Amino acid sequence: MSNDVLVFVEQQDGQIKKASFEALAAGRETAGNLSGAVSAAIVGAGIRNLATQAAQHGATKVFVAESDVLAAHSGDGCARAIAACAEQSGAGTVLFAHTAMGKDLAPRVAQLLDGACTTDATQLSVVDGVLQASKPVFAGKAIKQLRPNAAHYCVTLRPNAFAASEAPAAGEVVNVAAPDGDLLAIVKEISAASVNHVPLQEASVVVSAGRGLKGPEHWTLLEQLVEAFGPGVAAMGASRAVVDAGWRPHSEQVGQTGKVVAPMLYIAVGISGAIQHLAGMVTSKFIVAINKDPQAPIFKVANYGIVGDAFEVLPALTEAIRTTRQ
Ligand SMILES: Cc1cc2nc3c(=O)[nH]c(=O)nc-3n(C[C@H](O)[C@H](O)[C@H](O)COP(=O)(O)OP(=O)(O)OC[C@H]3O[C@@H](n4cnc5c(N)ncnc54)[C@H](O)[C@@H]3O)c2cc1C
């Protein structure tokens, strides 16, 4: 297996995702540990100008596969383009961010390269000269360590589990032939959800609430707390109980059957801390729990616990954060 690493750089509306910068940093470190080189793959339409940013984050080469048919996301089209980048770069490892797009593409690319695939890794290391990916399993109770038994290894990396950093490199642009038609599926329209906050899995701060908030009409308290952190910082999450009750959309659900998040700060409000919820947030750097029951299981994983009524604590916390930021 080649020691070189290729990182798929995901973009939306011409903006590279933060999680892809994290993947580039992880790719750089992994390539360093394997004594290989790290390069980037960018696919889509009109995306050539993003190569400079990939180089700024350490890509020695940037493989660019441009085609008008890739203007909207195409699972099979992008996968074929990335596989072509991997073959042209000679990389053994291909890294993706564990986003909706990364989850769609990594298994497809692995299949095209006849390689192995691991999703949602939270750590990469090199053991006996072989890349090893680690990921939480059994609702976060155990860590599974995987090494590929193939010439190619596709791995998706959990957002916020790796720190992004700049390390300017040459970033030589290499053109790669992209599919120009013949796609299995074509996206004709995208109706984006009307959310103003940062994507849940990329937010540095996630403020989640559960049944303790009593009803959907009280979510304004949570929105005010999210806004107190300032623009582009925090996102709202929810427990499954409130999603099942129809109080919040499923896109906000955190947990085993929802999204897995690993922000710098996770604030759980009126959430009991069921194992299925913990599976989605236990790898957060700092966990703050607000619950009126001192025996609530959420306190077992919390770094800071506030035993109290959410309806009193939330306004005070929001005010304190506003004041601190001023
Ligand atoms: C297969 C399976 C998959 C699941 N997947 C998920 C998942 O992905 N995500 C998930 O979240 N759950 C999941 N669940 C459900 C999970 O088991 C729990 O039922 C759910 O997480 C409970 O949600 P909750 O904490 O909001 O509600 P509750 O368990 O009812 O807890 C409410 C909490 O609010 C506190 N409270 C009440 N009033 C106040 C107040 N005024 N101020 C402060 N605190 C207050 C209470 O003390 C209590 O601790 C799954 C379950 C199964 C079986």
Side-chain angles (χ1 to χ4, degrees), residues 2 5 12 55 75 116 150 172 177 179 207 225 229 235 246 257 262 265 289 299-300:
S2 155
V5 177
Q12 192 173 8
E172 178 199 341
V207 183
L225 179 54
F229 282 100
T257 45
L265 173 63
F299 287 125
K300 290 198 181 126

Side-chain angles (χ1 to χ4, degrees), residues 61-133:
K61 287 185 181 174
V62 183
F63 293 83
V64 176
E66 266 195 310
S67 167
D68 286 344
V69 300
L70 300 180
H73 176 68
S74 155
D76 71 301
C78 290
R80 274 152 56 195
I82 297 165
C85 292
E87 272 164 359
Q88 206 159 322
S89 73
T93 302
V94 188
L95 300 180
F96 303 76
H98 190 71
T99 55
M101 198 186 275
K103 282 188 266 186
D104 179 23
L105 294 174
R108 292 176 189 265
V109 175
Q111 184 268 327
L112 289 169
L113 296 173
D114 199 17
C117 183
T118 292
T119 55
D120 199 21
T122 53
Q123 200 190 344
L124 295 177
S125 47
V126 174
V127 179
D128 299 331
V130 179
L131 175 62
Q132 176 174 285

Side-chain angles (χ1 to χ4, degrees), residues 123-268:
Q123 200 190 344
L124 295 177
S125 47
V126 174
V127 179
D128 299 331
V130 179
L131 175 62
Q132 176 174 285
S134 303
K135 63 178 282 184
V137 289
F138 302 126
K141 288 258 179 222
I143 302 291
K144 190 174 185 178
Q145 294 167 329
L146 301 113
R147 287 188 239 173
N149 186 16
H152 289 96
Y153 192 21
C154 294
V155 185
T156 69
L157 307 180
R158 182 178 293 188
N160 288 324
F162 300 82
S165 60
E166 293 194 5
E172 178 199 341
V173 173
V174 182
N175 293 320
V176 177
D180 55 6
D182 190 26
L183 301 181
L184 294 174
I186 295 168
V187 176
K188 295 210 158 170
E189 190 190 351
I190 297 175
S191 27
S194 56
V195 284
N196 300 319
H197 304 306
V198 273
L200 181 57
Q201 286 173 293
E202 293 172 33
S204 318
V205 177
V206 173
V207 183
S208 282
R211 213 151 25 194
L213 270 199
K214 312 291 184 211
E217 66 277 16
H218 296 130
W219 249 257
T220 46
L221 288 171
L222 217 64
E223 279 163 17
Q224 286 161 1
L225 179 54
V226 164
E227 276 158 24
F229 282 100
V233 177
M236 270 198 298
S239 73
R240 176 168 164 173
V242 302
V243 171
D244 285 353
W247 298 359
R248 301 304 301 171
H250 182 260
S251 57
E252 289 182 6
Q253 185 180 316
V254 171
Q256 189 179 319
T257 45
K259 294 206 167 84
V260 175
V261 299
M264 182 59 72
L265 173 63
Y266 187 88
I267 304 180

Side-chain angles (χ1 to χ4, degrees), residues 209-214 238-242 253-258 269-274 276-277 290-293 296 308-311:
R211 213 151 25 194
L213 270 199
K214 312 291 184 211
S239 73
R240 176 168 164 173
V242 302
Q253 185 180 316
V254 171
Q256 189 179 319
T257 45
V269 185
I271 290 178
S272 57
Q276 297 90 354
H277 186 82
I290 302 168
N291 199 301
K292 68 177 187 185
D293 175 9
D309 187 337
F311 295 94

